[in-house]
Amino acid sequence: MAADVKNEIDPHLSDLKAYLHIVSSEDDTNLKSLLNTAHATLKRWCGLFDLENEEGKQLVFDYVRYMHAGASEYFYKNFQTQIISFGFSLMEVPADDAIPKNK
């Protein structure tokens, strides 16, 4: 399982560093950890998604930006609308015939 997380996070590290305007590699281990934490937290809040989902990826990157700046406590408040909207977009809506009808 740890290898799966590593394989999912590593390809996105360079995108994250570009987003944060970080050019050195001295903080890579910390950024990978923050990326993993942000992704896990948003999956818990919104539902399962991978980082190929652009909306989810942007929220993860923004959460990492807040954590990296030491302001993670403000992330949920500032992004609440986007988090809730994203969570709804991940919901699977059952087909009409799957919903029991009352007579």
Side-chain angles (χ1 to χ4, degrees), residues 7 29 38 56 67 97:
N7 290 337
T29 302
M67 287 190 292
D97 59 348

Side-chain angles (χ1 to χ4, degrees), residues 19-73:
Y19 180 69
L20 297 176
H21 305 287
I22 296 173
V23 293
S24 73
S25 59
E26 66 186 38
D27 205 20
D28 283 4
T29 302
N30 183 48
L31 289 173
K32 286 178 189 178
S33 176
L34 292 176
L35 195 56
N36 187 41
T37 299
H39 189 208
T41 300
L42 282 159
K43 285 192 297 189
R44 190 174 68 250
W45 289 345
C46 300
L48 297 177
F49 68 97
D50 61 30
L51 292 176
E52 299 306 316
N53 179 309
E54 288 299 320
E55 187 177 1
K57 181 178 175 179
Q58 185 62 50
L59 280 169
V60 168
F61 282 13
D62 284 325
Y63 195 18
V64 169
R65 178 171 56 93
Y66 272 65
M67 287 190 292
H68 193 254
S72 61
E73 65 271 17

